Amino acid sequence: MSEQSPVEKIKIASNGLRGTLKESLSDSYTGAVREDDTNLIKFHGMYQQDDRDRREERSAKKLEWLYSFMLRLRLPGGFLKPEQWVAMHHVAGEHSTGTIKITTRQTVQLHGILKSHIKPTMQSFNLAGLDSIATCGDVNRNVCCTSNPGESPVHDEVFQFASKISEMAKPKTQAWYEIWIDKEKIGEKTEEDPLYKDRYLPRKLKIGIAVPPNNDVDVFINDIALIAIIQNDKLVGFNLAAGGGLGTTHGNPNTYARLATVLGFVENDEEKILKAVYETITVQRDFGNRADRKLSRLKYTVDKLGVDKYREEIEKRCGFKLEPARPYTFTERIDRYGWMQSADKKWHYTVFVENGRVLDGEGIDFKTCLLKIAELGKCNFRFTANQNVILTDISSKDKAAIEVLLNEYGIIEYTDKAGALRKNAIACVAFNTCPLALAEGQRYLPTLISKLEPILEKHSMHNDNIVMRMTGCPNGCGRSPNAEIGFVGTAYGKYNLHIGGDRLGERLNTKFKDSLNEEQILTTLDELFGVYTKEKKENETFGDFSHRKWIL
């Protein structure tokens, strides 16, 4: 066997991802789990974290860091029934910080779960028909899909593929049920898993499905991307793309962000579509880098093999050829705030949730309002890849009851009043819980936007739908490399400024300046906006102008 990273050895020896998790849970002397288990809990949907705001204080007192766990749900396409929202609301209040965090992958995270609360949390979710299986770790993560049913008459047909792919790519081990739900293990033999075997994947693998002309799901940042091809309001198949991924490492030129490359077209045949996705995964499983985890994502495998070789390997395993890619066009990359009606006459209301943080306070009681709406049982919930929530599938007779609550709690006014820049912005969690963060993310971006809004007003740009994103490190969770303006944390209070990405998600940005503080960010953008408003072509976006003016 070729050289392996330490994590590879942990996976092989884990007995189907069981490891010593039961022993770790029973150890009441520490708030952490055993070292090897910190890798295995990811496959169960969790990351071990600590409160970084209190590290120094606790270290000075010779106390263990304040460990807790972040748990992420598996929600293909970001769909929740109303009773599941109610359950999630109460679980968040009883076992976590209370904040429901909508992620950029259409699911939710709960932070601050103490070790003794993990099992009750898992069991409560299981009773609601929810789980966290394979939402972290070296497996297929949550499958994303264009979220708003109003985007296309064939939305539901496309949307169903998110669940089908998620189920197909779910690990076969029953470890999650045994450890968290106390399901009895059947026999001593570890379950056979034809897809993942005993080594799983070299790294995480993300899948996204988009319904043109709206690239709201940012489909090309995924390891595997499916673009629905629709003709005369009928789904005729998908273009299959591979090799997207945004994470890099500061100072390591061998790492880079990449958008997925379209490989070909697969007709609307469920067996063929699932087979093509499955074998795209197996090629990564068999050819991906297992020695250096910084170079192990599928994007590096595509570039190592070459696009043509990767396609040939997929076709050989599938037993059929990919057809030439079909034409499609993206014209926007937005969430449609407010009310929208779909072809089936159902109504959908998209709520603006800044940085995806559903909580009460800070001037508006989101959490209480959404609970009351869920308790009505008159709508489902869909999360967007831009960290918002859609109240969805509402009949005309029920629309007024939901609108009353949205008005009573000020949600409609809040959504309507938010500026264009704020509505298009994304930030990762970063401090205080992410162990990789070098700078702030979601706690700081709203403040920065408040300071940028007068500058936009000065340049008559306040209604411009600029896509701005911030990450506290170069790992790309807030999709900053795929924005017109991206901020990448380098140290506390310092960010690299990236510009020149396009508005549709089809071109990455480029680093423009290194390690700027807030004053330098505001001054630099003021200058750039000034040049843009004077020299831009008609209808030219800031990203396109920046690329033409300063990057090319």
Side-chain angles (χ1 to χ4, degrees), residues 484-486 497-501 509-510 512 528 542 546 550-551:
E484 291 179 87
I485 301 173
L497 170 64
H498 294 239
I499 59 173
N509 55 34
T510 301
F512 182 64
L528 298 185
F542 178 75
S546 299
W550 293 297
I551 305 303

Side-chain angles (χ1 to χ4, degrees), residues 203-224:
R203 276 290 297 278
K204 61 185 174 183
L205 185 138
K206 299 177 178 180
I207 299 175
I209 310 171
V211 180
N214 192 359
N215 188 22
D216 64 318
V217 78
D218 241 341
V219 72
F220 294 110
I221 63 93
N222 290 277
D223 298 83
I224 300 174

Side-chain angles (χ1 to χ4, degrees), residues 69-116:
F69 296 81
M70 178 275 280
L71 183 145
R72 182 184 293 150
L73 289 178
R74 185 167 62 98
L75 300 176
F79 181 84
L80 269 183
K81 298 174 183 176
E83 60 270 24
Q84 292 175 321
W85 183 282
V86 173
M88 180 178 65
H89 174 100
H90 293 305
V91 169
E94 292 167 14
H95 300 298
S96 78
T97 61
T99 298
I100 297 168
K101 169 70 176 179
I102 305 170
T103 77
T104 58
R105 294 201 61 75
Q106 294 181 301
T107 184
V108 294
Q109 296 177 175
L110 300 183
H111 289 260
I113 301 171
L114 299 179
K115 188 168 76 171
S116 60

